Amino acid sequence: MHDDGADRPNQYALLRQRRFGPFFWTQFAGAANDNLFKFAFTVLVTYQLSVSWLPPSHAGLVIGALFILPYLLFSATSGQLADKWDKRRIFVLTKNLEIAIMALVAWGMLVQNVPLLLACIFLMGTHSTLFGPAKFAYLPQVLSERELTGGNGMVEMGTFVAILLGNVAGGLLVAVPEVGHLQVAVAGLVLALLGRLSAQFIPAGPATDPGLRVNWNLFSETWRNLRLAHAQPVVFRSLLGISWMWFFGAVFLAQFPAFAKEVLHGSEQVAALLLVVFSVGVGVGALLCERLSRAQVEIGLVPLGALGMSLFAADLYLAVRSLPPASLMDVSAFLARPAHWRVVADLLLLSMAVGIYSVPMYALVQLRSQPTHRARIIAANNILNALFMVASSVIAGALLSAGCSIPQLFLIIAGANLLVSMAVFLLVPEYLSRCLALVRQRAPVES
C-alpha cells in the first residue's frame, strides 16, 4: 500500500497550536534554566571559587546528586497533585516557584554564597519534580493517539536542545571576567519570566481524579506509586526500559569530559563538541520516530533503537583503540584527523538510537496508563529514573576504580544494554513482534 503521508499529522505544526506551543516553550525554558544554572555553578566552584569543603573533583557529583534527590523524595506527591489538579494550575505554580528560586540564585551568585546556591540546586530539582508528571500526563489529554509519538518526539528533542543550550550558555556567561556572575543571575531570571509568560497561554488540562485524597507520606506513597505501576505489566516493563535508557545515557554524559581529555587528547572544546553531538543525535532520533512509525504509537522501533545503542557503543570502543598518542587538541585539530570522524559518527548514531528507543516507550506508557492514575505512573517512572541514574554513577565509578578504562566501560555498557534489552523483549514479546511487522512493512515489495 502506498503511504503518501497526506493524512499524517505534522509534529512541527503542533508548535503553532495553542494546545501544544505554549506548553512546549514553557518546558523548554525550564529545562534550559535548570542546566544553565547547574553548569554555571559547577564551573564557578571548579575554576573560580576555592571552597575547602567542596573540592572541584566532587563538585559535579554533589550538584548532580542534590538535583536528583527531589525526584526520589517528592515524585509521589507531585504525581498525586497532577492527577488531582488541573495541569495548567501545576504549570503556573511551578513557574511562579521558579521565579522565586532564580531570585535567590541571583542573590547567591552576586554574593558568591555556595551553601545558598547548593540549596537552590535542590529547589530547582524540586521545581522539575513538580513539573514532570504533569508534563507527560498533559500530552495524552490534548493530543490524539496519532499525534502522541510526534508530540513526545518534539518534547524530547526540545528537552535535549534546551539542555545543550543551557549548558553552553551557562559555561560562556559565567566565564566572562567580572560580570559573569551578574550575567548568569540575569539570564536565569529572564528564562524564568519567559517560562511563566508562556505558561499563561497553556489551555486547561482538566483533573483526571479531582476527588483524590493526597497522601503526604513520601515513603508510603512512593511505594504505592511503584505498586500501582507494577499492576500493569506492559506499562511497568516499559518504565524499566525508559529508566535503563537514562542509566545508559548517564554513563556517556558523565564521562565526556574525561573521555575527551584522557582518551581523545582533546581540550574542553572537544568535550563540549561531544555533548553537542550527543544532544543533536537524541533530538534527531526523537523527531525521526514520527516518520518511521507513520504517526502511530509504534513500539516496534524500540528493538531497533536498542540494537543501535549497543552496536555503536561497541564500535566507539573499537574506534578509539588505535588512536595514536597526541598532545591536547582543540576542536579544529581534533576534526582535522580522519580517525576522529568515526568517533563522532558513532556518537551521533548511538544517540539517535537512544531517541528512537525512548520516544515510543514514553508514548506507550501515556497511552496504556489509566487516565485517572496517569500522572502517578509518570511519577513512578521519575522515581525509577532517579534510582537508575544514581546506580549508573555508582556502578560506573566502581568499574573505573577497579582499573577499567573509559572505552572498556562503554563496551561493558554496550553488552549490558544487549542483555537488558533481550530480557525486556522476552518479558514483553509485543516489542519484537511489532518490530518484525514494521521491518516487513518497510521492506520493498517485489513486483
Side-chain angles (χ1 to χ4, degrees):
M1 189 180 117
H2 179 62
D3 176 36
D4 61 3
D7 62 341
R8 187 186 297 158
N10 180 346
Q11 58 194 346
Y12 305 104
L14 290 172
L15 285 174
R16 297 193 297 272
Q17 297 172 24
R18 191 181 160 202
R19 62 195 170 125
F20 186 83
F23 159 77
F24 176 88
W25 293 114
T26 302
Q27 70 90 30
F28 184 93
N33 216 0
D34 280 345
N35 288 280
L36 178 135
F37 170 43
K38 268 198 305 186
F39 197 70
F41 183 34
T42 306
V43 170
L44 185 72
V45 292
T46 304
Y47 292 101
Q48 298 176 13
L49 292 180
S50 180
V51 186
S52 58
W53 48 270
L54 187 63
S57 58
H58 290 71
L61 287 172
V62 170
I63 289 167
L66 275 174
F67 189 81
I68 286 174
L69 186 58
Y71 282 91
L72 293 171
L73 295 176
F74 308 130
S75 281
T77 306
S78 55
Q80 291 178 90
L81 295 177
D83 277 333
K84 182 177 175 63
W85 293 350
D86 186 298
K87 307 295 179 292
R88 183 183 180 278
R89 181 182 175 187
I90 302 267
F91 298 145
V92 169
L93 177 76
T94 51
K95 293 297 119 181
N96 289 340
L97 178 63
E98 186 182 357
I99 292 168
I101 296 166
M102 292 321 290
L104 270 179
V105 168
W107 173 250
M109 277 284 177
L110 295 176
V111 300
Q112 297 186 16
N113 184 325
V114 173
L116 174 61
L117 290 171
L118 284 171
C120 289
I121 288 284
F122 179 82
L123 289 172
M124 280 303 277
T126 304
H127 147 270
S128 296
T129 303
L130 283 168
F131 193 85
K135 172 173 90 170
F136 283 112
Y138 172 80
L139 286 175
Q141 280 190 280
V142 297
L143 301 180
S144 70
E145 186 178 331
R146 283 179 63 75
E147 294 170 320
L148 209 47
T149 296
N152 274 285
M154 290 295 288
V155 168
E156 181 136 336
M157 176 277 298
T159 302
F160 273 88
V161 170
I163 289 170
L164 174 64
L165 293 178
N167 279 318
V168 170
L172 291 175
L173 293 174
V174 78
V176 177
E178 295 178 21
V179 293
H181 305 151
L182 177 65
Q183 289 187 151
V184 171
V186 170
L189 274 168
V190 167
L191 275 172
L193 289 165
L194 287 173
R196 175 63 183 85
L197 181 66
S198 56
Q200 193 63 34
F201 297 98
I202 298 174
T208 49
D209 191 1
L212 176 70
R213 289 188 62 180
V214 176
N215 172 16
W216 297 100
N217 184 318
L218 305 178
F219 304 103
S220 67
E221 188 57 32
T222 296
W223 181 244
R224 189 188 298 176
N225 267 24
L226 291 170
R227 284 181 59 194
L228 197 65
H230 191 261
Q232 291 178 274
V234 173
V235 169
F236 186 70
R237 286 159 190 164
S238 299
L239 297 185
L240 291 176
I242 291 167
S243 295
W244 172 255
M245 181 272 293
W246 284 104
F247 180 107
F248 181 93
V251 169
F252 285 87
L253 290 169
Q255 297 306 321
F256 280 162
F259 180 61
K261 185 181 177 185
E262 295 167 20
V263 181
L264 302 177
H265 315 293
S267 65
E268 297 93 330
Q269 291 179 324
V270 175
L273 172 71
L274 300 182
L275 180 67
V276 169
V277 169
F278 192 87
S279 302
V280 168
V282 174
V284 170
L287 291 178
L288 276 174
C289 285
E290 190 198 44
R291 182 163 291 277
L292 292 172
S293 66
R294 293 193 166 102
Q296 303 296 331
V297 174
E298 180 51 86
I299 61 172
L301 291 174
V302 175
L304 297 176
L307 184 64
M309 285 158 68
S310 282
L311 198 63
F312 297 116
D315 196 66
L316 186 60
Y317 164 78
L318 296 173
V320 299
R321 281 181 74 193
S322 54
L323 290 182
S327 53
L328 217 59
M329 293 173 276
D330 62 11
V331 167
S332 55
F334 175 78
L335 292 176
R337 297 191 173 197
H340 292 152
W341 281 95
R342 181 175 167 192
V343 173
V344 172
D346 277 333
L347 204 55
L348 181 70
L349 292 165
L350 176 154
S351 52
M352 283 173 65
V354 169
I356 289 167
Y357 172 90
S358 59
V359 167
M361 280 199 175
Y362 274 116
L364 179 77
V365 168
Q366 292 163 1
L367 193 65
R368 299 274 181 94
S369 300
Q370 281 178 268
T372 51
H373 294 81
R374 193 181 281 131
R376 277 167 283 172
I377 299 288
I378 303 295
N381 186 213
N382 288 343
I383 295 163
L384 289 169
N385 288 349
L387 288 170
F388 272 64
M389 286 168 79
V390 170
S392 152
S393 60
V394 170
I395 292 168
L399 286 169
L400 292 169
S401 301
C404 180
S405 70
I406 293 172
Q408 284 170 344
L409 175 65
F410 291 167
L411 185 64
I412 290 166
I413 292 300
N417 180 62
L418 215 51
L419 293 174
V420 169
S421 301
M422 282 165 62
V424 170
F425 304 146
L426 286 171
L427 287 168
V428 191
E430 196 179 342
Y431 282 113
L432 282 177
S433 61
R434 283 302 314 153
C435 181
L436 292 171
L438 187 68
V439 170
R440 279 199 294 267
Q441 200 179 346
R442 287 275 170 188
V445 181
E446 291 178 21
S447 52

